[in-house]
């Protein structure tokens, strides 16, 4: 059976190559820092499952120290210039899009086939991980096609990948780190405290204000945690179910579904949702790391108001 | 008497981000403070941090896509994306991004949320196309406007994904909602929940689509 561990080994190999190339890169003054950072991440992918929790924790602290004390630099491995790229674009034409499409197509078509045909009974992939594993399969396929078709130097994909990962830098592991923070928050009972605080400010008899507080809680808690999934169980247990459903008799389907979407409006507003808001700013080489969030404020706020109205009308006025 | 001290971790996150300290550092300091205030000892906090980091490795696995994207960029992928847009008559940034928003919402609603995304679609394709279309209409853009176009391209991907995916009944968030309500005695089928994602999806399309078109119009006018 192909498990997630296979994917971790693949990722470990790629990060290890980036680490070695960084160490050998004399043009990057902070090459050693980069080598240590990507190397530790490779170690985490290879051996994280065997390490004790404490060893993994120490690994996290070292990673953070390297990034926090500014030891990560940006490399600039040799690549093609703009004129050469224009020439390639001209010569290769729209076929250039095909290798890029291999990855999502493998993931999507593969997932559909695996779940809706007898293929799934073979038990080829680890349960519920088939999409991510197929994503890895797609990457390997696309890389193979590119190597055969474009015939670049053997190290070219590694160097081009390193150019991109260095432009992202420490932000590459921020989403994973935030997930870890969520784990600690849960252990310390942060959700329960917020839930009881929200319960205390609830008014006695206004349905509309209760809906507003529920949606506001979803959005604010999502802004803090960077993830509506962390906010939802807390707000549903504090207000959604006891107040909106049980006390005021609202429609549970509307309250659940649209409450989550009110949380998604918060995701648009927070740097804590790093992989949606901070990483793309780095990937697109924008000067302002909050540039994506700035473009989303004008959509998130009116859309949040729409969600309040949808719950109020759909869950209460039309339902009763 | 509830112990409110663990909330200090949240305060640390907010202040840390506001003062622009390194976010990794902010997150770890917040985690340690929260754990200590929550009654854990220091070693236990480091252990729980290490365990959670390790359990969530799958999040960072997706970077294995970068060698492929980098290789295609080396061979002119971004230039190709621009050339394609320049060849389409009547293509404007506004129309392009509205179309992408619709495409992203519909594919996500059908469960194909991996079509699109920032490393695999926005950086190599959508953002260069949006820039090319904007320059076609408005001429050469200032650096500041160029950044805004990129930001809007990334924002369009996010809005399309967030407010499309919940229409698909087998998505993680729908399963989570179902699980939370079921454990409180309100069992529901996933499609009963998913259907209520449709009104918000329509609102999202008109609000964000309208903003994209307005942004395109405003870009042409000289700054006051």
């Amino acid at each position: 059976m192909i498990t997630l561990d296979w994917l971790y080994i693949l990722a470990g190999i790629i990060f290890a190559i980036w680490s070695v190339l960084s160490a050998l890169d004399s043009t990057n003054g902070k090459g050693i820092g980069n080598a240590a950072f990507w190397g530790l991440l490779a170690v985490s992918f290879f051996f994280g499952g065997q390490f004790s929790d404490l060893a993994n924790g120490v690994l996290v602290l070292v990673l953070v120290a390297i990034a926090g004390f500014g030891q990560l630099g940006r490399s600039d491995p040799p690549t093609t210039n703009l004129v050469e790229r224009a020439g390639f674009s001209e010569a290769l034409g729209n076929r250039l899009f095909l290798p890029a499409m291999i990855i999502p197509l493998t993931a999507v078509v593969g997932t559909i086939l695996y779940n809706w045909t007898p293929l799934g009974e073979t038990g080829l992939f680890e349960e519920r991980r088939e999409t991510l594993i197929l994503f890895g399969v797609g990457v390997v396929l696309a890389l193979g096609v590119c190597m055969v078709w474009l015939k670049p130097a053997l190290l070219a994909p590694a160097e081009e990948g390193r150019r991109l990962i260095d432009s992202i830098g420490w932000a590459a592991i921020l989403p994973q780190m935030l997930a870890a923070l969520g784990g600690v928050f849960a252990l310390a009972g942060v959700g329960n405290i917020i839930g009881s605080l929200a319960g205390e400010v609830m008014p006695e008899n206004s349905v509309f204000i209760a809906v507003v507080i529920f949606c506001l809680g979803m959005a604010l808690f999502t802004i803090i945690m960077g993830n509506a999934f962390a906010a939802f169980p807390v707000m549903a247990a504090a207000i959604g179910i006891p107040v909106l459903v049980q006390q005021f008799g609202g429609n549970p389907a509307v309250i659940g579904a649209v409450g989550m979407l009110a949380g998604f409006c918060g995701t648009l507003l927070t740097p804590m949702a790093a992989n949606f808001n901070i990483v793309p700013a780095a990937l697109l080489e924008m000067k302002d790391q909050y540039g994506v969030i700035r473009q989303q404020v004008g959509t998130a706020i009116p859309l949040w108001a729409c969600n309040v109205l949808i719950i109020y009308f759909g869950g209460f006025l039309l339902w009763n | 008497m509830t112990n409110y001290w663990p909330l200090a971790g949240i305060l640390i996150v907010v202040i840390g981000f506001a003062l622009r300290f390194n976010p990794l550092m902010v997150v770890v300091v917040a985690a340690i403070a929260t754990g200590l205030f929550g009654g854990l000892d220091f070693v236990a906090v480091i252990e729980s941090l290490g365990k959670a980091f390790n359990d969530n490795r799958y999040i960072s696995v997706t970077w294995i896509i970068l060698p492929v994207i980098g290789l295609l960029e080396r061979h002119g992928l971004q230039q190709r994306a621009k050339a394609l847009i320049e060849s389409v008559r009547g293509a404007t940034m506004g129309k392009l991004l509205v179309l992408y928003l619709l495409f992203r919402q519909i594919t996500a609603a059908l469960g194909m949320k991996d079509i699109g995304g920032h490393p695999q679609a926005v950086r190599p394709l959508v953002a260069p196309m949006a820039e090319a279309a904007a320059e076609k209409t408005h001429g050469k853009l200032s650096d500041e406007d160029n950044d805004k176009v990129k930001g809007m391209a990334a924002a369009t991907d996010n809005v399309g994904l967030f407010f499309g995916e919940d229409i698909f009944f087998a998505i993680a968030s729908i399963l989570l909602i179902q699980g939370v309500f079921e454990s409180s005695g309100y069992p529901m089928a996933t499609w009963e929940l998913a259907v209520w994602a449709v009104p918000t999806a329509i609102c999202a399309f008109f609000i964000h689509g309208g903003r994209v078109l307005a942004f395109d119009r405003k870009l042409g006018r000289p700054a006051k």
Side-chain angles (χ1 to χ4, degrees):
Chain A
M1 187 174 71
I2 302 178
T3 64
L4 218 46
D5 286 331
W6 293 37
L7 207 54
Y8 290 157
I9 291 170
L10 178 64
I13 292 170
I14 292 173
F15 278 102
I17 294 173
W18 285 337
S19 169
V20 172
L21 291 175
S22 303
L24 298 175
D25 185 351
S26 55
T27 62
N28 179 1
K30 290 176 175 168
I32 297 302
N34 289 33
F37 193 82
W38 304 129
L40 277 174
L41 215 51
V43 168
S44 166
F45 276 116
F46 285 134
F47 306 113
Q50 280 105 56
F51 284 173
S52 67
D53 290 343
L54 185 62
N56 276 316
V58 172
L59 188 145
V60 170
L61 294 184
V62 178
L63 275 176
V64 171
I66 295 170
F69 292 112
Q71 295 307 306
L72 267 183
R74 235 173 118 155
S75 66
D76 195 13
T79 181
T80 50
N81 62 35
L82 286 176
V83 178
E84 288 170 307
R85 288 183 179 196
F88 276 124
S89 154
E90 193 73 22
L92 299 169
N94 290 337
R95 284 174 300 168
L96 258 180
F97 297 127
L98 296 177
M101 294 307 296
I102 290 176
I103 300 167
L105 279 180
T106 309
V108 171
V109 175
T111 305
I112 292 171
L113 286 179
Y114 194 73
N115 284 306
W116 276 282
T117 68
L119 210 65
E121 289 155 26
T122 58
L124 182 63
F125 301 126
E126 184 177 342
E127 235 176 300
R128 284 177 295 109
R129 296 300 191 190
E130 67 276 6
T131 305
L132 198 57
I133 293 170
L134 282 159
F135 167 85
V137 173
V139 168
V140 173
L141 277 179
L143 195 57
V145 167
C146 288
M147 294 305 281
V148 171
W149 178 40
L150 302 170
K151 297 190 182 62
L154 202 59
L155 272 182
E159 288 286 26
E160 296 293 342
R162 183 164 73 97
R163 186 165 52 79
L164 294 181
I165 196 75
D166 279 349
S167 75
I168 301 168
W170 51 260
I173 63 160
L174 186 55
Q176 192 183 342
M177 202 66 93
L178 287 164
L181 176 66
V184 177
F185 272 21
L187 211 61
V190 171
N192 300 335
I193 302 171
I194 298 215
S196 70
L197 275 179
E200 275 169 29
V201 299
M202 281 311 294
E204 291 286 313
N205 46 22
S206 167
V207 177
F208 185 74
I209 291 179
V211 171
V212 169
I213 292 179
F214 174 61
C215 290
L216 204 59
M218 276 302 300
L220 287 178
F221 199 32
T222 302
I223 287 173
I224 292 165
M225 298 295 293
N227 188 338
F229 284 27
F232 188 78
V234 175
M235 295 311 298
I239 300 175
I241 293 169
V243 179
L244 296 183
V245 175
Q246 287 168 352
Q247 189 186 334
F248 293 127
N251 178 344
V254 187
I255 291 160
V258 187
M260 180 68 94
L261 295 169
F264 285 3
C265 293
T267 314
L268 293 174
L269 297 173
T270 175
M272 297 291 282
N275 42 345
F276 298 112
N277 297 335
I278 301 295
V279 170
L283 263 177
L284 297 172
E285 289 156 26
M286 294 167 62
K287 272 170 220 71
D288 178 5
Q289 65 166 327
Y290 301 131
V292 178
I293 296 175
R294 272 183 232 287
Q295 296 298 338
Q296 286 172 166
V297 175
T299 298
I301 293 172
L303 194 53
W304 178 86
C306 288
N307 284 321
V308 170
L309 296 176
I310 291 168
I311 295 186
Y312 184 62
F313 285 102
F316 292 92
L317 294 190
L318 296 175
W319 167 254
N320 292 324
Chain B
M1 179 68 201
T2 317
N3 172 16
Y4 288 112
W5 279 106
L7 298 184
I10 292 173
L11 206 63
I12 292 173
V13 169
V14 173
I15 294 172
F17 269 96
L19 295 179
R20 302 207 170 197
F21 286 124
N22 180 289
L24 287 185
M25 206 74 129
V26 172
V27 166
V28 165
V29 172
I32 292 172
T34 304
L36 293 178
F37 283 129
L40 302 170
D41 68 61
F42 186 74
V43 174
V45 178
I46 303 302
E47 280 177 344
S48 68
L49 196 60
K51 179 176 169 19
F53 185 79
N54 191 56
D55 288 346
N56 288 292
R57 277 179 298 170
Y58 70 90
I59 296 174
S60 302
V61 151
T62 46
W63 296 124
I64 60 176
I65 197 173
L66 294 182
V68 176
I69 297 302
L71 198 55
L72 289 170
E73 285 187 5
R74 179 192 185 93
H75 290 88
L77 184 65
Q78 292 191 348
Q79 286 70 21
R80 195 67 239 158
K82 286 185 179 172
L84 183 68
I85 282 303
E86 277 156 10
S87 73
V88 177
R89 229 179 318 151
T92 63
M93 179 192 65
K95 282 187 208 164
L96 172 82
L97 288 183
V98 169
L99 209 64
Y100 183 68
L101 177 65
L102 188 67
F103 166 81
R104 189 82 165 113
Q105 281 194 300
I106 290 173
T107 50
L110 297 173
M112 294 182 268
K113 74 188 188 101
D114 294 322
I115 291 188
H118 299 287
Q120 59 267 51
V122 179
R123 174 180 161 120
L125 301 172
V126 181
M129 283 178 169
E131 281 173 63
E135 287 186 355
K136 206 171 147 184
T137 322
H138 306 298
K140 185 92 186 105
L141 297 176
S142 67
D143 283 354
E144 196 183 323
D145 280 346
N146 208 27
D147 260 19
K148 284 186 186 162
V149 171
K150 289 176 180 173
M152 195 53 108
T156 302
D157 189 276
N158 285 337
V159 172
L161 173 67
F162 293 0
F163 302 100
E165 63 171 358
D166 269 23
I167 298 173
F168 185 59
F169 50 86
I171 201 92
S173 51
I174 292 289
L175 298 176
L176 175 67
I177 301 166
Q178 187 193 31
V180 168
F181 274 78
E182 194 171 286
S183 64
S184 302
Y186 295 92
M188 283 179 276
T190 45
W191 63 264
E192 287 178 83
L193 290 164
V195 73
W196 279 102
V198 175
T200 306
I202 295 170
C203 293
F205 179 76
F206 283 104
I207 292 172
H208 192 73
R211 286 191 59 232
V212 164
L213 295 174
F215 173 59
D216 199 358
R217 279 195 300 275
K218 206 176 116 202
L219 208 54
R221 287 187 224 133
K224 279 172 202 144

